[in-house]
Amino acid sequence: MTAAVPGRGATPARPGGEPPAGAVPARTPMASPDPSSGSDETGASRADVRRAAAAWSGLAEPGDRTAGALLLAVGPVAAIAWLRAAHDHGDRSRAVARLRERIDDPAEELTPRRLLAALDRWGPRLGRVDPDRDARALRELGGRVLVRGDEGWPQGLDDLGPAAPACLWVRGDPRALLGPPAVALVGARAATSYGTAVAADLACGLADRGHAVVSGGAYGIDAAAHRGALAGDGPTVAVMAGGADRLYPAGNTDLLERVLARGGAVVAEVPVGATPTRSRFLRRNRLIAALTAATVVVEAAWRSGSLSTATHAAGLLRPVGAVPGPVTSMASTGCHRLLREHDAVCVTSVADVLELLPGGAPSEGAGETHHDPRDALHDVARGVLDGFDARRPTTLDELVPAVGLAASDVLAALGELELAGLAVRAAGGWELTAAARRPAAR
């Protein structure tokens, strides 16, 4: 799907150089082209693309599929040029018609009705967005704007299609978004001590194995996950519902500052200064799911917002895990619901989480388990094993009356125990090995 460019059927300009209403130019004078920064397929410089994408992140609300489809169809530079032309010239129906003429096979999100409704949403914000100001504010915080095609752009976001963000406003180390497959650990804000302990343990174990932990920076399970990852000396990423400059909630500011200081990142899809609203919290969850290879809900009530992250992950064909809790705990009813109704995988350990990841090995209990040689013993050998004195070597004369068997049967059983590595000959008789002294698994 392409926009018209000069020499490829573009609409002639009006007398005096004024473009016709709704024309989609190949580039807009957003910024002076920087040859060193590269260019996109329409000829717009990377600086133009970055600036236009940053503007779109303030023009459209997160998850606006019409905006996303428009950016995919013509690119952010041509898209914002079309929006300005349609807004300034006033003939919106004509602008929409001209846009659709220049897109091969327009997506279902780009119907005339949807585009006209979108113009009503985006137009009033045109005079309020200032991508230069916002990017400058982010740079002062040590951050940068990432757009599709950048080296640090997380490829998983592209799976969102038209619901993908126009750009990412990133503070901290962008490399925290790359590397081995990341895991989302999410759950309730009103978490129990059980939930926070499990979240911290899982996050610490994952970080210790090099996997980034992604969560939302909120109280409860999110905070426990970030703390656990820091304890495991691994990267962790907090996805904000508001601007990356507003570490939210304020009570977790110190924690989020530690995330930044320890090689992690704070990420947002809206410009600096944007307010975290309820709708943005819910839409933010799709990013958490897309940035990771698997999502684990640690603790969630029946209607917990964290369940939406699991829903998004499932929609992206990412595996979903849930930690079971006490059957009497209302704080775990959402996890039990996922396990019962949505084919979530039961997670009780770091090994279970690793099994969800691409190429993950089956966890203990899901396949082959440790072998206990006592399990293969015959009944006579089991009885003789029970007749040993664990504190010292035991003689044949002591074993025979202790187990109530004939000496020949005891000798045969001792041979079996020796072959199984459970007993060895010792001065004056036989004694148990370390394997025989180890408590049997229950």
Side-chain angles (χ1 to χ4, degrees), residues 114-383:
R114 292 185 179 182
L115 284 167
L116 288 170
L119 286 173
D120 290 336
R121 298 195 301 269
W122 305 333
R125 290 185 173 182
L126 266 174
R128 299 169 57 185
V129 296
D130 189 340
D132 290 332
R133 174 200 63 201
D134 296 337
R136 185 166 54 249
L138 186 66
R139 285 195 299 271
E140 291 174 355
L141 294 171
R144 59 176 294 195
V145 178
L146 289 178
V147 298
R148 184 182 282 107
D150 282 345
E151 183 178 354
W153 178 260
Q155 297 298 316
L157 292 177
D158 295 340
D159 293 341
L160 291 169
C167 66
L168 287 182
W169 302 76
V170 182
R171 290 179 62 186
D173 191 345
R175 291 174 298 180
L177 298 167
L178 307 175
V183 177
L185 294 181
V186 297
R189 291 174 174 81
T192 66
S193 58
Y194 163 79
T196 55
V198 172
D201 286 345
L202 292 177
C204 183
L206 289 167
D208 187 55
R209 291 162 175 80
H211 298 277
V213 173
V214 179
S215 199
Y219 295 126
I221 298 301
D222 288 13
H226 293 307
R227 290 191 183 97
L230 293 176
D233 201 25
T236 182
V237 177
V239 184
M240 299 286 99
D245 60 321
R246 304 180 66 158
L247 300 183
Y248 185 92
N252 280 348
T253 297
D254 289 344
L255 171 62
L256 295 173
E257 291 286 4
R258 292 204 306 275
V259 168
L260 293 171
R262 297 275 295 278
V266 171
V267 177
E269 62 176 318
V270 290
V272 295
T275 303
T277 62
R278 177 174 175 78
S279 62
R280 287 175 178 171
F281 275 112
L282 291 174
R283 292 167 185 165
R284 175 271 313 267
N285 291 340
R286 79 193 195 287
L287 299 188
I288 296 176
L291 286 169
T292 55
T295 292
V296 177
V297 182
V298 179
E299 189 175 54
W302 187 262
R303 296 179 60 84
S304 171
S306 62
L307 298 181
S308 71
T309 308
T311 300
H312 286 298
L316 293 169
L317 302 182
R318 309 279 208 274
V320 175
V323 176
V327 295
T328 56
S329 174
M330 295 299 294
S332 290
T333 53
C335 291
H336 299 159
R337 178 184 177 188
L338 288 174
L339 292 169
R340 184 177 64 252
E341 300 177 5
H342 300 282
D343 296 324
V345 175
C346 181
V347 169
T348 61
S349 66
V350 174
D352 291 341
V353 181
L354 295 176
E355 186 182 355
L356 298 176
L357 300 178
S363 63
E364 183 179 331
E368 188 174 344
T369 61
H370 290 298
H371 173 67
D372 189 330
R374 288 169 289 199
D375 294 341
L377 294 177
H378 293 95
D379 290 342
V380 173
R382 288 176 186 272

Side-chain angles (χ1 to χ4, degrees), residues 39 55 61 110 123 161-162 212 217 220 227 238 279 283 314 346 349 388 408 437:
S39 61
E61 277 296 297
L110 299 179
R227 290 191 183 97
S279 62
R283 292 167 185 165
C346 181
S349 66
F388 272 84
S408 59
R437 298 174 192 274

